[in-house]
């Protein structure tokens, strides 16, 4: 779809952010994380992005799930400022040719940053549209060299209770853990996001780098990643460990498979207004055409 027919950035973006984003495209923006190369941003309208109107920066950064900072929707925006995100490194290990501890700047080197406007559907049945900035996870995995024996990718979030107030309580079994099958991880829709609205990732949204898998429930999109492991075993994942009957490993958005305690057939779009009503939830969150082949022949009710 040609760029002109979409609601443009300038229509939906507060002006200072729009200007900031233009500066970013020019190569002088906030994302210049140490290396000028990191500021390279490709704008690829339509290819992967939805033309739905993004939620406001305000909605996206004040209504969050990030239990490391508490269980309330406002806790992350209240407490995440305490998090130190520089320096940051990620351990990449397991079945890879080049395991190691990689500095964030090194990870970002040569990865083309792109804007991806994705629908985002939480398992709690609310949703948003988020203009992420990021790069395909496959780019990083290819760089470190995935060995043929690897079948899954496991991710872990930072553990630092001094800065992450929610980790001072055993709300979850820290670290927060997530995982993908290797083909899901290599899918072009799967990104590591380092920003949104053309700015560096806000801390409450998972700074400095988080996963975004738009066809799965939001809890798969793990924040503030410090470890990526290639493995031949299906990884243990936080919500599945806590309540396996409610949260499966796959957790693909599916309006025909209800959560044991609520329907998944519809969702509440944050910011839609008091009288908007609920909207239908789409199969694979609207990404069916791109991802259905990954699950050909699979019983999606059994593999929820
Ligand atoms: N480390 C970590 N990652 C996490 C979570 C969390 O509590 N801790 N919450 C998940 C859930 S349930 C959702 S819906 C999304 C929310 O992302 P957002 O706050 O950027 O909208 O992050 C996911 N990633
Ligand atoms: Mo969620």
């Amino acid at each position: 779809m040609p760029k002109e027919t979409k609601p443009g950035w300038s229509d939906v973006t507060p002006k200072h952010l729009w200007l900031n984003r233009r500066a970013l495209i020019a190569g002088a923006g906030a994302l210049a994380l140490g290396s000028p190369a990191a500021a390279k941003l490709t704008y690829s309208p339509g290819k992967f992005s939805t033309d739905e109107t993004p939620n406001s920066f305000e909605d996206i950064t004040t209504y969050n799930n990030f239990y490391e900072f508490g269980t309330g929707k406002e806790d992350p925006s209240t407490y995440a400022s305490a998090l130190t995100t520089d320096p940051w490194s990620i351990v990449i290990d397991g079945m890879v040719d080049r395991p190691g501890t990689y500095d964030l700047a090194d990870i970002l080197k040569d990865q083309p940053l792109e804007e991806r406007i994705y629908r985002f559907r939480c398992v709690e049945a609310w949703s948003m549209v988020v203009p992420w900035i990021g790069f395909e996870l496959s780019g990083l995995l290819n760089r470190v060299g995935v060995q043929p024996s690897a079948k899954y990718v496991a991710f872990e979030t930072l553990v630092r209770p001094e800065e992450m107030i929610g980790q001072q309580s055993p709300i979850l079994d820290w670290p927060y853990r997530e995982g993908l099958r290797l083909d899901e991880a290599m899918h072009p829709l799967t990104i590591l996001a380092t920003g949104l609205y053309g700015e560096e990732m806000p801390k409450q949204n998972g700074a400095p780098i988080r996963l975004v898998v738009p066809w799965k429930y939001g809890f798969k999109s793990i924040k503030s990643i410090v470890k990526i492991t290639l493995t031949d075993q299906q990884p243990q994942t936080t919500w599945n460990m806590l309540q396996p009957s409610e949260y499966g490993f796959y957790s693909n958005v599916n309006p025909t498979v209800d959560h044991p305690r609520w329907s998944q057939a519809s969702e509440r779009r944050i910011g839609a207004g008091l009288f908007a009503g609920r909207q239908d939830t789409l199969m694979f969150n609207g990404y069916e055409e791109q991802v259905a082949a990954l699950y050909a022949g699979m019983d999606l009710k059994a593999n929820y």
Side-chain angles (χ1 to χ4, degrees), residues 93-108:
D93 65 5
M95 295 165 169
V96 290
D97 294 334
R98 287 170 289 281
T101 302
Y102 291 85
D103 275 342
L104 183 61
D106 190 19
I107 284 174
L108 296 180

Side-chain angles (χ1 to χ4, degrees), residues 163-178:
E163 294 183 357
M164 300 173 120
I165 192 177
Q167 286 182 339
Q168 293 170 15
S169 313
I171 318 166
L172 296 174
D173 182 6
W174 314 112
Y176 193 102
R177 273 161 272 193
E178 258 311 331

Side-chain angles (χ1 to χ4, degrees), residues 59-61 63-70 73 76 120-124 126 128 130 132 156-158 164 167 172 174-178 196 201 204-206 210-211 217-225 238-239:
D59 284 344
I60 295 169
T61 57
Y63 188 93
N64 298 102
N65 275 334
F66 199 170
Y67 279 24
E68 282 82 347
F69 297 102
K73 294 289 182 276
F120 189 86
R121 170 57 157 86
C122 175
V123 73
E124 298 162 337
W126 54 265
M128 295 200 202
V130 185
W132 303 108
E156 286 183 19
T157 295
L158 178 72
M164 300 173 120
Q167 286 182 339
L172 296 174
W174 314 112
Y176 193 102
R177 273 161 272 193
E178 258 311 331
L196 58 84
M201 189 65 78
Q204 56 268 41
N205 294 93
R210 58 96 54 93
L211 186 68
Y217 291 120
F219 67 83
K220 299 292 293 183
S221 292
I222 183 174
K223 296 176 167 182
S224 304
I225 295 167
T238 292
W239 285 98

Side-chain angles (χ1 to χ4, degrees), residues 9 13-22 57 197-199:
W9 266 91
T13 310
K15 186 144 196 191
H16 68 286
L17 295 179
W18 168 239
L19 291 173
N20 225 322
R21 181 171 171 279
R22 296 183 62 143
F57 186 80
Y197 263 117
E199 305 212 333

